[in-house]
Amino acid sequence: MQSLYLTAVFLGLMLMGFSAAFAAALGFVWVDVVKPQQLAYSIITGWPLSMAAALAMLGQYMINDRKAPPRFGALLMLILFFAAWVTLTTSMSTIPGRPWQKWDWAFKVMIFAMFIPFIFRSRVQIEAFILVLIFSAATIFCSAGVKTLLGGGGYGVLSIMGGGNTGLAEGSTLAVVCAMLVPLIVYVMRHNLLLPKNLFTTCLFLGIIVTAVATVIGTSARTGIIALGVLGIVMLLKSRNKRWWIAALAIAAVAYLNIDLTATTWGERMSTIESYEQDSSALGRIRVWEWTLDFVREHPLGGGFDAYIHNRISMVTEDGTVHYYPAWQQAGKAFHSIYFEVLGEQGVPGFIVYITMILLCILKLRSLKTRWKQHAGMAWMVALADALISAIFVFLAGGAFVGIAYQPFIFYVIGLTITLDQYSARVLRDDQQAALRKTREERRVTT
């Protein structure tokens, strides 16, 4: 039944894709997040679903939808340059074969991010994109959140739909993404046009928020708690009514000071944040980060995807002793940080471009908030820009301790930022043209 359901959803999205490019693009997002070809037991197992959705999207765009293309501005140029740069560093890698496997999916993510402002142009299309993204991720995390609420969970033992250790099936990645999605869920709950605003939809979105937060806790991923903490601070600062947030933080502080959380498996793992120097996992990351800085000094252009293999580190014991993989084994300890991941793999130039993209997104979104905050008809854009900024901050905090630099979610945010910026430019242009026509009409009447 699961295979039939997943196949039916994919075919339904593709049928809608024959009518509009943005519908096919929604199918690509669903496939990119859910990965149904890995969840299905038969029929679509192993099918190149991403390629099929991408071809449908490109075909529809080229044939029927090439109107109002976005201006090729700085952010689009940076994404294009970054995609070209990762291709160059991969081609220069001394690791045989393996880097191209990561390039294959990371490159597709970047190219799709470039197409987002070409395909999604109206408010309804933008909100459809966000809704599909939320519901696709919820397909993965809702079962994990419910299990946590029922008393399950734990580091490495929380049952996540799809299994494995990649994408949203990896606990730390899932924890950060769940925290990133909360501001977007709040946005669609308050401002979306596609779903009616009633008790059912409000409860639906609140339920997704609760399960998302529960999933973060259930993974017992320390980076998820950091991401959740940053999310709470950001939402507190942006909240108009801060009393409830302050009360919640006060209750959490009292619980922390008076309840022995170390008596639980979750609390015991969280306590290692304070005693990182005695935790072998944390020590291993620190050694890898130190190695990365030394590696980049010798290889300023980076080592290409999966360059961490060169460090040969297998583990670091609590006494600080480093153990290495044998020379014949193609393995090493991963970067476990977006900053060191990009720096080690793409070198100084790639790191500068990557960070510049994210900082430019924040600046553009803040500019959009400032420009439209006094315009009642654009309150939705101000709210969405605010939600995207919050998601970026959560990503920057949580990503400091997990290697998700090329995962699609941050590139979706970048693509949506360009889309909002282009939408704003079109609205301003239309307003200026309308004002010009009005002026001409007034002059004609007076003469």
Side-chain angles (χ1 to χ4, degrees):
M1 286 300 293
Q2 180 170 304
S3 299
L4 287 173
Y5 170 75
L6 293 170
T7 303
V9 172
F10 176 73
L11 292 178
L13 289 170
M14 288 301 96
L15 285 175
M16 290 190 293
F18 287 122
S19 63
F22 89 93
L26 294 177
F28 183 93
V29 173
W30 180 74
V31 171
D32 204 28
V33 176
V34 178
K35 302 186 186 306
Q37 66 272 39
Q38 297 177 12
L39 297 180
Y41 298 105
S42 60
I43 308 178
I44 59 174
T45 303
W47 283 16
L49 303 184
S50 295
M51 181 181 294
L55 291 175
M57 176 188 72
L58 290 174
Q60 274 296 320
Y61 177 76
M62 297 302 294
I63 296 172
N64 297 319
D65 205 25
R66 286 186 295 172
K67 58 183 180 181
R71 182 177 59 86
F72 217 82
L75 266 176
L76 278 174
M77 289 294 295
L78 287 171
I79 299 175
L80 180 60
F81 178 85
F82 193 66
W85 182 258
V86 301
T87 304
L88 177 63
T89 57
T90 304
S91 66
M92 296 189 302
S93 173
T94 58
I95 303 170
R98 181 166 170 170
W100 288 105
Q101 298 176 18
K102 186 172 180 178
W103 174 90
D104 180 61
W105 62 262
F107 185 80
K108 286 188 292 188
V109 166
M110 297 173 203
I111 297 302
F112 179 74
M114 289 182 58
F115 268 94
I116 289 176
F118 287 85
I119 303 297
F120 298 91
R121 295 185 294 269
S122 69
R123 176 181 176 182
V124 168
Q125 290 174 343
I126 293 169
E127 290 182 358
F129 180 98
I130 297 171
L131 284 169
V132 169
L133 176 61
I134 291 170
F135 288 135
S136 297
T139 302
I140 307 298
F141 70 69
C142 271
S143 59
V146 170
K147 180 180 178 182
T148 301
L149 292 171
L150 294 176
Y155 186 72
V157 301
L158 181 64
S159 179
I160 299 172
M161 188 174 180
N165 196 37
T166 60
L168 293 186
E170 196 278 318
S172 295
T173 302
L174 179 63
V176 175
V177 171
C178 283
M180 285 180 66
L181 288 177
V182 169
L184 292 174
I185 300 170
V186 173
Y187 163 76
V188 294
M189 181 172 66
R190 294 175 176 173
H191 297 278
N192 91 91
L193 297 176
L194 292 174
L195 297 178
K197 294 181 178 64
N198 53 39
L199 181 61
F200 173 77
T201 55
T202 300
C203 291
L204 172 66
F205 288 124
L206 286 175
I208 295 175
I209 292 172
V210 169
T211 52
V213 174
T215 298
V216 176
I217 298 172
T219 61
S220 293
R222 292 166 293 193
T223 188
I225 296 303
I226 293 171
L228 206 59
V230 171
L231 174 64
I233 293 172
V234 170
M235 297 190 76
L236 169 62
L237 293 175
K238 295 180 182 296
S239 174
R240 293 180 180 177
N241 189 349
K242 293 180 170 56
R243 288 177 299 174
W244 292 108
W245 284 98
I246 294 173
L249 289 175
I251 293 172
V254 170
Y256 177 79
L257 293 173
N258 292 277
I259 299 176
D260 183 15
L261 295 176
T262 59
T264 66
T265 303
W266 182 88
E268 182 181 5
R269 180 163 177 80
M270 292 305 107
S271 67
T272 60
I273 295 176
E274 298 177 353
S275 56
Y276 67 90
E277 71 281 356
Q278 299 174 4
D279 181 68
S280 60
S281 176
L283 285 173
R285 297 184 187 197
I286 293 172
R287 295 293 180 270
V288 171
W289 297 346
E290 292 172 347
W291 171 88
T292 303
L293 295 176
D294 292 334
F295 179 79
V296 173
R297 288 190 190 99
E298 298 178 8
H299 306 83
L301 299 183
F305 286 128
D306 288 344
Y308 69 86
I309 288 175
H310 293 298
N311 67 48
R312 315 300 305 162
I313 298 173
S314 62
M315 65 175 294
V316 179
T317 56
E318 293 182 4
D319 61 1
T321 304
V322 181
H323 298 268
Y324 297 92
Y325 285 104
W328 55 265
Q329 190 170 351
Q330 193 184 72
K333 191 169 183 62
F335 294 105
H336 290 292
S337 169
I338 58 173
Y339 306 106
F340 290 97
E341 181 183 15
V342 175
L343 183 62
E345 294 181 342
Q346 310 309 328
V348 176
F351 181 81
I352 292 173
V353 172
Y354 186 84
I355 295 300
T356 301
M357 281 193 298
I358 295 176
L359 293 179
L360 190 55
C361 276
I362 295 174
L363 292 176
K364 280 190 174 294
L365 291 168
R366 287 180 61 88
S367 175
L368 289 172
K369 285 181 57 180
T370 302
R371 179 180 300 163
W372 296 108
K373 65 180 180 180
Q374 302 300 331
H375 195 297
M378 299 292 279
W380 69 273
M381 180 177 286
V382 174
L384 180 52
D386 206 29
L388 292 174
I389 291 174
S390 299
I392 292 173
F393 282 139
V394 171
F395 172 79
L396 292 175
F401 305 98
V402 60
I404 55 174
Y406 314 98
Q407 290 290 330
F409 303 95
I410 186 60
F411 284 96
Y412 288 167
V413 170
I414 295 172
L416 283 173
T417 299
I418 302 171
T419 297
L420 282 183
D421 189 50
Q422 296 295 328
Y423 185 95
S424 172
R426 287 195 298 272
V427 171
L428 287 174
R429 187 166 55 249
D430 292 344
D431 288 347
Q432 291 170 357
Q433 291 175 353
L436 183 60
R437 286 195 298 269
K438 182 179 179 180
T439 301
R440 288 175 178 173
E441 182 65 23
E442 290 174 348
R443 288 177 180 175
R444 187 184 65 81
V445 172
T446 55
T447 57

